[in-house]
Amino acid sequence: AKLLRLHTALLAARHEAVAAVQADYFRAAEEIEVTETAVVLREIRHALRHVGRWMRPRRVPVPLAMIGSTAEVRPEPKGAALIIAPWNFPIQLALVPLVSAVAAGCPAVVKPSEITPHTAAWLRDFLARVFPTDEAAVVEGDASVSQELLALRWGHIFFTGSPEVGKVVMRAAAEHLGSVTLELGGKSPALVDASADLGLAAEKIAWSKFYNAGQICIAPDYVLADARIAPRLEHGLAEAAHRFFGPDPARSPDYARLVNVRHFERVRGLLGDALARGARLVCGGQVDPAERYIAPTVLASVMPASQILHEEIFGPVLPLIAWEREDDALAFIRARENPLAMYVFSRDNAAIARYHRGTRAGGGCVNDALFHYFHQDLPFGGAGWSGQGRAHGEAGFLAFSNPRGVLRRRFGTADRLLYPPFTPWSRRLIDLLMRWL
């Protein structure tokens, strides 16, 4: 009933949601609908279809030594949950975890980002219309408010943000031995080999990188391209950006802006450092501080010491690195922390298997980008530095649930033979158990 109530209310308020996000920073209305409200609505519908099965006690077999018993796993709510949401998808990344919490039976406090204050205020008013405050509530404020919330005891904390803040969240949860889901970030690579469909690869990479002006935690952070096809891929990326946003993306109604001045200056600094160290501009490079605008930009010949190869970019600047040997490409990925996503573009199945065996990542796609995130039956999350725990669908339900194991005795068994006082017969029985059961 709660999920259905949330679905009905969000469907009716979708235009309010668009207006709230656009009041914080420019994004196309269509982009907001697709990546904010539509994602949440689909998550709710998936939960409505499956929550009855997820919450049903699951029978498990019993070993021969426990004959006469039954065993089951019963999911139960972990308790009050704290959801700390980021600014880049301020509605989706607040409400998708809330759907999982509601499905699992957990009341929740949602802390939106102070960087998107209009959306935070809308979330507060919207959830107040849907839930009583003892079921779901929004608490607004800056980092000091987050610190106060983290000092409280929570059954589960769901945090989306940077690895550095993720460590703060994990330390806070440890004080109360609470569990956490950390959806972090990192430098997600796109690897393109000589067998790839270059037109498809260029289109998918450009779309996923320049969507929301690159402010996506699973956007490709850099491209590793086989040197034999790197020049053609460079051209394809530039052509795709032109096709999406026209000759002057600043005039495109579909191209987003950076969220604030601080973030704009950080990305501009990474771009300037790369160019100063000798990077070649393939396309883009134009900036407008007044608009917080950075054009869709592709860089080649980026020097290894450039900051842009060591920091997560989180903006519309894409370095392309050419590789001569497959091992060098995989070593480049392994030299960095495990990424949240990895995208492979290849038509060689044996090579694809090698790329996956030779790296670690939270998730990803083959010959696509971003879309693994939208599949509710694919658990979404990071690996090590890029996060822990899983979200979406049943994985999200389980994140907010405690699997309670229950053994039920139906009738007496031979285990009384193992009670003290022990006898030579007990010793022989133990030997038998060690060998066969």
Side-chain angles (χ1 to χ4, degrees), residues 349-369:
N349 289 331
I352 293 168
R354 290 196 302 272
Y355 302 151
H356 284 152
R357 283 197 306 269
T359 56
R360 294 290 179 270
C365 303
V366 175
N367 296 320
D368 210 335

Side-chain angles (χ1 to χ4, degrees), residues 25 27 85-90 113 115-116 212 215 259 263 314:
Y25 69 110
R27 289 168 60 192
W87 55 263
N88 58 324
F89 292 98
S113 172
I115 294 176
T116 48
N212 195 24
Q215 298 167 114
V259 68
H263 186 51
F314 220 69

Side-chain angles (χ1 to χ4, degrees), residues 52-351:
R53 174 176 60 82
W54 296 342
M55 64 194 302
R56 188 179 303 130
R58 177 172 55 88
R59 291 284 292 270
V60 295
V62 294
L64 185 60
M66 297 180 188
I67 190 168
S69 304
T70 60
E72 65 182 20
V73 179
R74 306 180 64 90
E76 60 184 21
K78 285 184 175 178
L82 174 63
I83 298 167
I84 302 178
W87 55 263
N88 58 324
F89 292 98
I91 293 174
Q92 177 211 135
L93 295 176
L95 296 186
V96 166
L98 180 62
V99 171
S100 297
V102 170
C106 297
V109 166
V110 178
K111 165 59 178 72
S113 172
E114 68 276 16
I115 294 176
T116 48
H118 295 89
T119 308
W122 178 82
L123 279 168
R124 178 197 64 215
D125 296 340
F126 171 72
L127 287 180
R129 300 197 301 261
V130 180
F131 297 109
T133 53
D134 61 347
E135 291 181 8
V138 170
V139 174
E140 297 173 88
D142 59 14
S144 65
V145 174
S146 294
Q147 291 171 352
E148 289 188 54
L149 288 169
L150 287 170
L152 303 176
R153 181 169 185 161
W154 302 97
H156 189 70
I157 300 174
F158 192 109
F159 169 76
T160 306
S162 71
E164 290 304 321
V165 181
K167 290 189 281 186
V168 174
V169 172
M170 201 168 183
R171 280 194 292 267
E175 286 297 315
H176 301 287
L177 298 179
S179 61
V180 295
T181 300
L182 303 178
E183 301 289 2
L184 308 177
K187 297 188 72 62
S188 297
L191 192 153
V192 186
D193 70 15
S195 73
D197 179 332
L198 295 185
L200 173 74
E203 182 177 76
K204 291 288 187 180
I205 294 170
W207 168 74
S208 57
K209 178 60 177 180
F210 301 131
Y211 206 74
N212 195 24
Q215 298 167 114
I216 307 175
C217 58
I218 53 172
D221 198 84
Y222 61 94
V223 179
L224 290 168
D226 188 310
R228 292 171 291 178
I229 53 89
R232 283 184 287 155
L233 184 61
E234 290 178 16
H235 175 77
L237 290 167
E239 191 278 330
H242 183 277
R243 181 156 33 93
F244 292 151
F245 305 113
D248 184 4
R251 296 178 177 273
S252 171
D254 302 320
Y255 187 66
R257 299 298 186 265
L258 282 297
V259 68
N260 58 22
V261 172
R262 177 174 171 271
H263 186 51
F264 167 84
E265 292 296 346
R266 188 189 66 81
V267 178
R268 181 167 72 164
L270 293 175
L271 172 59
D273 174 75
L275 292 173
R277 294 176 186 270
R280 174 168 53 86
L281 201 60
V282 175
C283 68
Q286 300 85 7
V287 301
D288 183 349
E291 288 285 320
R292 304 192 307 276
Y293 165 80
I294 297 178
T297 301
V298 177
L299 299 176
S301 304
V302 182
M303 294 295 104
S306 300
Q307 293 176 352
I308 206 165
L309 295 184
H310 300 277
E311 295 181 24
E312 184 179 5
I313 301 167
F314 220 69
V317 182
L318 182 65
L320 187 148
I321 301 101
W323 50 271
E324 300 285 347
R325 297 170 58 249
E326 180 183 299
D327 287 347
D328 294 336
L330 300 182
F332 189 93
I333 297 170
R334 289 196 300 268
R336 286 148 180 79
E337 299 286 357
N338 293 336
L340 186 55
M342 175 175 164
Y343 305 113
V344 172
F345 292 87
S346 173
R347 287 183 282 200
D348 183 336
N349 289 331

Side-chain angles (χ1 to χ4, degrees), residues 14-15 18 27-39:
R14 47 196 276 255
H15 299 302
V18 169
R27 289 168 60 192
E30 295 84 355
E31 180 183 292
I32 295 170
E33 289 230 59
V34 169
T35 59
E36 301 278 8
T37 52
V39 172

